[in-house]
Amino acid sequence: MAASTTTTYIAASTRALAEEMARDPRVWALGEDLGRGGVFGQYEGLQERFGAARIADTPISEACIMGAAVGAALAGTRPVVEMRFSDFALCATDELVNQAAKARFMFGGQAKVPLVARQPVGMWRSSAAQHSQSLEAWYAHVPGLVVVAPATPADNLGLLKSAIRADDPVVYLEHKGLWPLEGAVPDGEHLTPIGVADVAREGRDLTLVTWSAMRWRCLEAARALAADGVEAEVIDLRTLWPWDRDRVLASVEKTGRLLVVHEAVTVGGFGAEIAAFVAEHLHARLEAPVRRLGAPRIPIAYAPPLENAARVTPDAIASAARAMTAPAAADAS
């Protein structure tokens, strides 16, 4: 077994960027407040080590930051773009969606845009409606973009390194609530392949497909279900585009039931894509109708009790799973 060190989710990302900058002089980062370590501290110490030209502070203009990164990527460098909050990245949507995502196709493969757009997502300490969103479905919808959502410190190391080495633009979604999460991270070189899901827990009765912070709530729900005799398999997609269809289909073929869980709003969420795909391919094999569980279609409130009302909890996941595994659910299918 490879040696490992216990590291936080945020420290793993700092290590990933430092290792890639040391390995490849074309890698650099730009964004607001990077010189003082970034708004969450994910760039701590990097400007002192690599200099202000490679850990570059920028004006407060997301469109300017993304536009500069697209041009720099087309010119042959590998920029890492810091958007601070995914909500703020909407100011740079044209540069990302209309320029970065399309350049390879529109130039007949003669150009590429190897940038990583880091966009912290999710609910975090009453950050309210403009700082709490999970918009991964928007980006998964856009041809040309890769979408990554790590849930563990090891994956935040391995996936960020793989994203930096990718030749297409990557929307890299780190959950703000996971920054202090500790976990074992392999020592030495560690790459997590893009597009490969992780079976976080094996089971036989029900498949829970999820990503990002919901991995941990699904695992908590699975432990509660196990006490009732229901063994849930938990699949952390890790990458939303491309997503690991084969692993999901294999799991649902085994269990006969699928519940997709995400923090984003249920309506139009990426769970709908997974549910539709599985229903198209495995309808005759399903023991119960496919279900989705996400947030209600409401803005996320500042007040903690109202914010909590929008959260997907382990109890809600377990309750949905119990309904699907009850005898009546099979009759309904």
Side-chain angles (χ1 to χ4, degrees), residues 162-180:
S162 293
I164 291 170
R165 298 184 191 190
D167 282 340
D168 288 308
V170 178
V171 178
Y172 196 82
L173 307 171
E174 293 159 291
H175 198 289
K176 299 186 287 288
L178 296 178
W179 289 131

Side-chain angles (χ1 to χ4, degrees), residues 74-152:
L74 285 166
T77 71
R78 291 181 172 271
V80 175
V81 187
E82 179 56 53
M83 288 281 105
R84 290 166 42 112
F85 291 83
S86 67
D87 319 74
F88 298 168
L90 301 182
C91 298
T93 302
D94 178 68
E95 288 75 13
L96 181 62
V97 171
N98 278 331
Q99 308 303 331
K102 307 297 187 297
R104 183 196 283 270
F105 173 77
M106 294 182 71
F107 288 102
Q110 299 179 79
K112 60 184 179 182
V113 187
L115 66 79
V116 178
R118 297 180 73 177
Q119 302 187 18
V121 298
M123 283 184 263
W124 181 70
R125 293 162 46 177
S126 292
S127 298
Q130 295 175 328
H131 299 73
S132 303
Q133 297 174 92
S134 296
L135 302 174
E136 64 268 22
W138 294 18
Y139 298 110
H141 182 74
V142 176
L145 294 180
V146 175
V147 184
V148 176
T152 71

Side-chain angles (χ1 to χ4, degrees), residues 230-252:
V230 176
E231 293 295 335
E233 184 150 293
V234 178
I235 295 181
D236 174 5
L237 285 185
R238 303 198 285 198
T239 304
L240 299 187
W241 202 271
W243 65 282
D244 196 340
R245 297 178 176 89
D246 291 342
R247 185 150 296 185
V248 171
L249 288 178
S251 178
V252 180

Side-chain angles (χ1 to χ4, degrees), residues 21 45 54 56 155 209 219 256 314:
M21 292 184 70
R54 295 186 67 194
D155 282 349
V209 172
L219 286 171

Side-chain angles (χ1 to χ4, degrees), residues 27-40:
V27 178
W28 62 297
L30 69 163
E32 301 158 25
D33 298 319
L34 300 196
R36 67 178 181 89
V39 67
F40 297 107

Side-chain angles (χ1 to χ4, degrees), residues 149-300:
T152 71
D155 282 349
N156 208 14
L157 171 69
L159 283 169
L160 184 52
K161 288 168 67 73
S162 293
I164 291 170
R165 298 184 191 190
D167 282 340
D168 288 308
V170 178
V171 178
Y172 196 82
L173 307 171
E174 293 159 291
H175 198 289
K176 299 186 287 288
L178 296 178
W179 289 131
L181 176 71
E182 292 187 333
V185 175
D187 297 335
E189 177 79 318
H190 175 65
L191 294 169
T192 304
I194 289 173
V196 178
D198 177 41
V199 180
R201 186 184 194 280
E202 294 190 354
R204 63 172 186 272
D205 300 318
L206 171 84
T207 298
L208 300 175
V209 172
T210 192
W211 53 89
S212 192
M214 287 298 109
R215 169 190 174 114
W216 304 105
R217 294 183 194 175
C218 284
L219 286 171
E220 186 175 341
R223 288 191 289 272
L225 290 166
D228 299 338
V230 176
E231 293 295 335
E233 184 150 293
V234 178
I235 295 181
D236 174 5
L237 285 185
R238 303 198 285 198
T239 304
L240 299 187
W241 202 271
W243 65 282
D244 196 340
R245 297 178 176 89
D246 291 342
R247 185 150 296 185
V248 171
L249 288 178
S251 178
V252 180
E253 273 197 294
K254 177 176 66 174
T255 66
R257 300 174 178 87
L258 169 65
L259 173 60
V260 187
V261 180
H262 53 64
E263 183 173 318
V265 170
T266 303
V267 176
F270 194 67
E273 170 67 24
I274 298 167
F277 183 86
V278 169
E280 287 168 357
H281 288 78
L282 294 178
H283 174 74
R285 307 285 295 272
L286 294 173
E287 301 289 338
V290 174
R291 287 193 61 179
R292 296 171 288 152
L293 185 61
R297 191 175 182 273
I298 57 173
I300 298 167

